[in-house]
Amino acid sequence: MSERRHLELIAELVPYRSHVLDLGCGNGELLAYLKQHRGCTGYGVEIDDDNVRGCIARGVNVIQRNLDEGLSIFQDDSFDVVLQLETLQNLRNTEAVLRDTVRVGREAVVSFPNFAHWPNRLSVLRGRMPVTKTLPYQWYDTPNIRVGTHDDFRDLATKNGLKVLESFGLHAGQVVRSWPNLMASVAVFKLARA
């Protein structure tokens, strides 16, 4: 239930009838939701073959591409909103893709697992890497090549000349606005160029 609620909360950040690019769109569930409930159009970018087939089955336009190759196939301001949800931690060239995200979209919505969430901190204090619903892998088999925190991302956005329009956390299907670095399992940022 909380995953579906997270999807709905993210969708609320996307204006009605927006032209959307979803980077790392998975099986296209969010784009299909945005099309049906918010009148949006757009494309997904996905590398995984099974997810690409899932997009096609949902009627979602999808481009198969590795995000680490960048977004040079898209012109500046091609989209109203670019979504980069739970992909940032898997990218090798994080800053370049982040800058490209706000180049091709007037606004961007970025989310990622918040490593500073209190249960994660407790695991590290106990001498173990956290394994949670948001970080479900062991340290040795994780697809995540980096971990970040809500506060770290705010610094990264500033360093790259991005304006934070809104930020909050998500946890168990709820928006977390008080102490999101400590109390939220997922960090969410709405960004634009400064």
Side-chain angles (χ1 to χ4, degrees), residues 10-176:
I10 294 291
E12 289 175 12
L13 296 173
V14 179
Y16 284 95
R17 293 175 289 289
S18 293
H19 191 52
V20 178
L21 179 65
D22 188 353
L23 304 176
C25 67
N27 63 16
E29 181 180 10
L30 179 56
L31 276 172
Y33 181 91
L34 289 170
K35 181 179 176 182
Q36 180 180 4
H37 296 281
R38 297 188 74 83
C40 295
T41 60
Y43 296 89
V45 176
E46 179 58 49
I47 193 170
D48 181 79
D49 292 335
D50 290 336
N51 282 337
V52 168
R53 284 189 285 278
C55 288
I56 293 166
R58 279 192 161 89
V60 169
N61 298 317
V62 63
I63 299 166
Q64 190 166 24
R65 183 174 177 86
N66 183 337
L67 291 176
D68 277 319
E69 295 172 5
L71 303 177
S72 61
I73 62 173
F74 301 107
Q75 294 180 355
D76 295 1
D77 295 322
S78 298
F79 298 90
D80 298 312
V81 179
V82 178
L83 303 172
Q84 192 180 95
L85 308 176
E86 311 260 345
T87 59
L88 193 67
Q89 70 276 8
N90 303 100
L91 299 175
R92 297 196 182 287
N93 202 354
T94 305
E95 286 184 274
V97 175
L98 188 59
R99 286 189 300 268
D100 253 0
T101 298
V102 296
R103 177 188 63 78
V104 303
R106 289 173 188 77
E107 292 182 348
V109 177
V110 176
S111 74
F112 56 91
N114 177 30
F115 197 73
H117 188 216
W118 72 267
N120 299 339
R121 294 178 186 207
L122 188 57
S123 287
V124 172
L125 279 173
R126 291 181 177 150
R128 299 287 183 191
M129 288 298 288
V131 177
T132 65
K133 188 172 186 176
T134 327
L135 294 166
Y137 301 95
Q138 294 291 332
W139 66 270
Y140 54 84
D141 68 354
T142 182
N144 300 330
I145 59 175
R146 60 185 40 79
V147 292
T149 72
H150 189 275
D151 290 353
D152 287 334
F153 187 82
R154 185 176 292 282
D155 293 345
L156 179 66
T158 300
K159 176 184 176 219
N160 282 277
L162 306 178
K163 182 178 178 183
V164 175
L165 303 174
E166 187 174 358
S167 74
F168 55 89
L170 295 174
H171 185 69
Q174 300 295 319
V175 171
V176 178

